[in-house]
Amino acid sequence: MPPAMLWAQVQAAMQQGRLDAAQAGAQHILHAAPRHPGALHVLGVICLQRRQLPEALRWLKKAAQADQRNAMIWATLGYANFEAGAFRDAVEAFQKSSRLDGRAHPALHGLGKSLQALGRHQEAAGAFARAITLEPRNVDYLNDRGVALLEIGAVDDALRDFDAAIAVAPGFFGARLNKGLALKKRGDAAAALAALDQAIALNPSYAPAHGNRAAVLLDMRDHAQALAAAQRAVALAPDFAEAWNNQGLAQLELGDAPAALASFAEAARLDPANAAAPYNAAGIHWQKGDYSEALAAYRQCLRVAPTHVAALNDLGLAEAALGDHAAALAAYDRALRIAPDFPEARFNKSLTCLLAGNLAEGWRLFEARKQKKNPVGFQDFGLPLWTGAQDVVGRCILLHWEQGFGDTLQFIRYAPLVQAKGALVALMVQPEVAPLIRRVMPEVTLVDEVPPDAQMQCPLMSLPRAFGTVLSSIPPAPHWQADGGRRDLWRARLGAAHKPRIGFAWRGSAGHGNDRNRSLGLTDLLSIINDKADWIGIQKAMPEADRQALASTTSIRVFDAEITDFEDTAALIAEMDLIISVDTSLAHLAGSMGRECWVMLPFNPDWRWLLDRKDSPWYPTLRLFRQKRIGDWAGVLEEIHAALALRFAGSSA
């Protein structure tokens, strides 16, 4: 049979879907005409339809070589390369097809899909736009351009494409799903939820739609509904790692940390390349105080995503919590090499530098606290920051508190130094400490609002940087005295002293970020309480467990209801022979008053107590007792018990 007649039969067989007949005919043609482009193309198409990709590519490449100006052959070769994952080769083939036939919109669409697969979304959007110009109502083209635009952040333009596709085909599931994702990205959670619900109504069994619905509900903080949506996604697709992760997030918000950990573990097992699940699990371990587990989870996250700066920062925190401060610094430095202005890493590095005694670098980085996600010391009151470099003679400068009472008491020592430079100092402190400071520092003007003549401002905790403070130049604390009248009242309230008086505090503020590690329960302290001293609890805001412990002993007196302000606290301190305290404002006040104070510190202490020292350069009368292991208050109390025996060995009690 002549090749022309046989070729007509092959074409007819292809149109009728008789692939075996078409294949046999094409092979007969090639026996007579080995470079017949049509027969080579047909064999490539048949192999492509049968998912025999290596064979399809072999035939189609031969077809393209035989007829290099055939746009259809190049387009088919593009599809085959795309299906084989050879996206660069696909781009080249589609580009040749579209150059040969500028109206071949399927080739332009294929070009866009291939560019999209390579992450070249801007170029992909351009290719889709050219296809849409030729076929304005093609919903696939509109939807795919919308996806490309969404990838480059053109959310509003993407929404217009999705809406255009939906207008043409209201039942187009993909466009409604993508519209929901675009609205989520724009921050319109309620509209995103409505769009996703419309998509799910069209295809209720598509697990990713339920997974995305869970993510939107998490954004809306509707955690119960988010959990239900994530569970539906998991039920539809048990191997859907993202849904497991969203399920874990919802469980965590609902207070079920063990279930959340199990969900994150399953997400990580299903998708070892997903960094989110181990990162989320690490956060749970951190909150529980399981720092070793947190460390392992952060490392798992970073194996997958080595440039995950939040994980690097948190890795540093875990290393520091476990006492490896050199490793903590290395983690912060890795984060800062990736994101030099990342404030959390800069701030946490500052704390490690300060803890190590590197005060100059620590103060410099400490300014990052003002740029953190949850900033502190960020108020500038519309005034420029005094950095120590500007002349302040005759100028009014506002010095203001920013963190806890202890911080104010520690850094108030700098106010007279600013005055000594010739500045007119206006000092803004917490109302609770204002009466005490007004009495013991009458030369400093206290204010409740910004003075109209203020020309500069400086947070109290930025003053060490302004003065270039290093360990050898820490200024002394003001030597404060208790108010005589208050002291008389407390002397009468306490009664005659027949034993040494020991004032003690075992808890700091519950709102402190490290309170879990720095505070004790009263029952922990009972091992050192004996009848050789008069034990006075200088403690406010006790939980019920502490009150029950108080009821079980007659050796402790607590005046929490009578302590109304820091003037009362100062008067009580003045009546004590010794203060024992956890890291809280009582230690700062005792140190400022020059009273002997023993401070109980956790394994990973606050930066101001430095490392390995038993004394404090900030307060000469303080003695530091440190945990040797995380949570080892028993060891600290054993040391204190022995020290008490020596301290009061000569007591008559």
Side-chain angles (χ1 to χ4, degrees), residues 302 306-316 328-346 348-349:
L302 288 163
T307 61
H308 193 312
V309 291
L312 284 167
N313 175 67
D314 294 345
L315 174 71
L329 279 177
Y332 301 139
D333 284 339
R334 282 176 61 191
L336 291 171
R337 282 195 293 273
I338 297 164
D341 294 326
F342 183 31
E344 269 69 21
R346 289 172 62 84
N348 289 324
K349 181 179 178 181

Side-chain angles (χ1 to χ4, degrees), residues 72 89 94 155 184 208 229 266 295 312 367 383 392 434 466 550 557 593:
M72 182 178 294
D89 292 338
F94 284 128
V155 178
K184 179 182 185 298
E266 182 64 8
L295 188 70
L312 284 167
E367 293 299 300
L383 298 169
V392 291
L550 277 175
R557 290 191 288 169
M593 294 175 64

Side-chain angles (χ1 to χ4, degrees), residues 61-350:
K61 287 175 182 177
K62 288 183 177 182
Q65 290 171 356
D67 187 357
Q68 296 187 20
R69 298 195 60 77
N70 189 312
M72 182 178 294
I73 291 175
W74 283 111
T76 309
L77 179 58
Y79 291 128
N81 278 313
F82 183 87
E83 292 297 322
F87 302 122
R88 288 184 176 82
D89 292 338
V91 166
E92 183 179 350
F94 284 128
Q95 285 175 334
K96 288 182 178 179
S97 177
S98 61
R99 282 197 294 267
L100 290 166
D101 182 358
R103 300 193 63 78
H105 53 83
L108 290 168
H109 181 241
L111 174 61
K113 297 287 284 185
S114 302
L115 290 166
Q116 207 167 32
L118 291 169
R120 294 158 60 179
H121 302 293
Q122 186 77 54
E123 296 172 79
F128 292 137
R130 290 167 62 195
I132 291 168
T133 301
L134 298 168
E135 286 283 318
R137 291 175 60 80
N138 188 305
V139 293
D140 289 323
Y141 297 178
L142 289 164
N143 182 62
D144 287 340
R145 183 174 67 173
V147 171
L149 291 168
L150 193 58
E151 289 288 348
I152 62 175
V155 178
D156 291 340
D157 291 336
L159 282 168
R160 279 191 284 273
D161 275 348
F162 299 140
D163 283 335
I166 292 168
V168 175
F172 187 7
F173 166 76
R176 289 195 180 275
L177 177 65
N178 289 328
K179 179 179 179 179
L181 298 178
L183 289 164
K184 179 182 185 298
K185 192 168 185 177
R186 193 169 72 177
D188 192 345
L193 187 64
L196 289 170
D197 285 343
Q198 291 169 348
I200 289 170
L202 294 168
N203 188 355
S205 62
Y206 188 64
H210 294 277
N212 289 322
R213 187 173 190 272
V216 171
L217 287 162
L218 284 169
D219 289 344
M220 298 175 72
R221 304 198 64 75
D222 188 344
H223 301 124
Q225 289 298 318
L227 178 58
Q231 288 173 331
R232 177 61 177 156
V234 166
L236 289 168
D239 60 348
F240 186 10
E242 185 179 344
W244 281 100
N245 185 64
N246 284 336
Q247 177 175 283
L249 291 172
Q251 289 164 331
L252 179 60
E253 292 291 347
L254 291 169
D256 194 347
L261 278 175
S263 293
F264 294 142
E266 182 64 8
R269 185 190 70 81
L270 290 168
D271 184 7
N274 188 332
Y279 181 74
N280 292 330
I284 296 178
H285 293 307
W286 173 267
Q287 290 299 323
K288 291 169 59 182
D290 294 338
Y291 302 123
S292 295
E293 292 291 336
L295 188 70
Y298 286 130
R299 286 174 174 167
Q300 181 183 355
C301 170
L302 288 163
R303 281 194 292 273
V304 176
T307 61
H308 193 312
V309 291
L312 284 167
N313 175 67
D314 294 345
L315 174 71
L317 292 174
E319 297 278 20
L322 292 166
D324 194 340
H325 301 288
L329 279 177
Y332 301 139
D333 284 339
R334 282 176 61 191
L336 291 171
R337 282 195 293 273
I338 297 164
D341 294 326
F342 183 31
E344 269 69 21
R346 289 172 62 84
F347 175 71
N348 289 324
K349 181 179 178 181
S350 81

Side-chain angles (χ1 to χ4, degrees), residues 15 37 77 170 199 223 266 432 447 464 474 482 513-514 548-549 563 566 603:
Q15 291 173 355
L77 179 58
H223 301 124
E266 182 64 8
E432 293 86 345
V447 297
I474 293 175
N514 196 39
Q548 290 178 4
I563 299 173
F566 276 88
F603 178 72

Side-chain angles (χ1 to χ4, degrees), residues 537-569:
I538 307 177
Q539 184 69 52
K540 298 283 287 183
M542 287 181 287
E544 183 57 32
D546 285 351
R547 296 198 179 278
Q548 290 178 4
L550 277 175
S552 70
T553 178
T554 59
S555 300
I556 301 172
R557 290 191 288 169
V558 175
F559 298 93
D560 57 319
E562 290 86 354
I563 299 173
T564 59
D565 56 20
F566 276 88
E567 288 280 31
D568 282 324
T569 305

Side-chain angles (χ1 to χ4, degrees), residues 222-526:
D222 188 344
H223 301 124
Q225 289 298 318
L227 178 58
Q231 288 173 331
R232 177 61 177 156
V234 166
L236 289 168
D239 60 348
F240 186 10
E242 185 179 344
W244 281 100
N245 185 64
N246 284 336
Q247 177 175 283
L249 291 172
Q251 289 164 331
L252 179 60
E253 292 291 347
L254 291 169
D256 194 347
L261 278 175
S263 293
F264 294 142
E266 182 64 8
R269 185 190 70 81
L270 290 168
D271 184 7
N274 188 332
Y279 181 74
N280 292 330
I284 296 178
H285 293 307
W286 173 267
Q287 290 299 323
K288 291 169 59 182
D290 294 338
Y291 302 123
S292 295
E293 292 291 336
L295 188 70
Y298 286 130
R299 286 174 174 167
Q300 181 183 355
C301 170
L302 288 163
R303 281 194 292 273
V304 176
T307 61
H308 193 312
V309 291
L312 284 167
N313 175 67
D314 294 345
L315 174 71
L317 292 174
E319 297 278 20
L322 292 166
D324 194 340
H325 301 288
L329 279 177
Y332 301 139
D333 284 339
R334 282 176 61 191
L336 291 171
R337 282 195 293 273
I338 297 164
D341 294 326
F342 183 31
E344 269 69 21
R346 289 172 62 84
F347 175 71
N348 289 324
K349 181 179 178 181
S350 81
L351 300 184
T352 301
C353 289
L354 292 169
L355 184 65
N358 182 3
L359 301 194
E361 178 70 355
W363 300 134
R364 183 183 70 83
L365 294 168
F366 194 58
E367 293 299 300
R369 71 194 187 280
K370 304 171 187 177
Q371 287 83 46
K372 290 175 57 191
K373 183 178 180 181
N374 296 309
V376 291
F378 63 94
Q379 295 186 85
D380 61 19
F381 302 99
L383 298 169
L385 173 69
W386 183 63
T387 65
Q390 308 98 310
D391 180 22
V392 291
V393 175
R395 305 176 75 185
C396 181
I397 178 171
L398 174 69
L399 306 181
H400 51 95
W401 70 278
E402 61 177 78
Q403 298 188 38
F405 298 128
D407 299 305
T408 298
L409 295 173
Q410 180 176 1
F411 293 102
I412 200 74
R413 68 186 70 198
Y414 286 93
L417 302 184
V418 180
Q419 277 186 322
K421 286 183 171 287
L424 305 174
V425 170
L427 179 63
M428 184 184 293
V429 298
Q430 301 98 315
E432 293 86 345
V433 297
L436 172 67
I437 292 174
R438 182 176 289 110
R439 181 179 58 77
V440 300
M441 301 180 72
E443 71 281 3
V444 177
T445 301
L446 264 64
V447 297
D448 297 321
E449 56 187 27
V450 181
D453 59 342
Q455 296 172 275
M456 286 180 284
Q457 58 81 27
C458 188
L460 288 176
M461 298 183 75
S462 290
L463 288 170
R465 183 189 182 201
F467 281 91
T469 301
V470 295
L471 286 176
S472 60
S473 64
I474 293 175
H479 190 67
W480 294 351
Q481 299 293 330
D483 176 69
R486 291 287 186 102
R487 189 169 179 180
D488 289 341
L489 288 172
W490 277 101
R491 188 179 294 120
R493 186 174 286 154
L494 291 169
H498 302 293
K499 305 175 184 178
R501 281 184 172 149
I502 301 175
F504 66 104
W506 59 94
R507 289 188 184 275
S509 168
H512 189 279
N514 196 39
D515 193 59
R516 174 183 63 237
N517 292 316
R518 70 167 183 166
S519 290
L520 293 79
L522 182 56
T523 53
D524 297 322
L525 278 172
L526 293 181

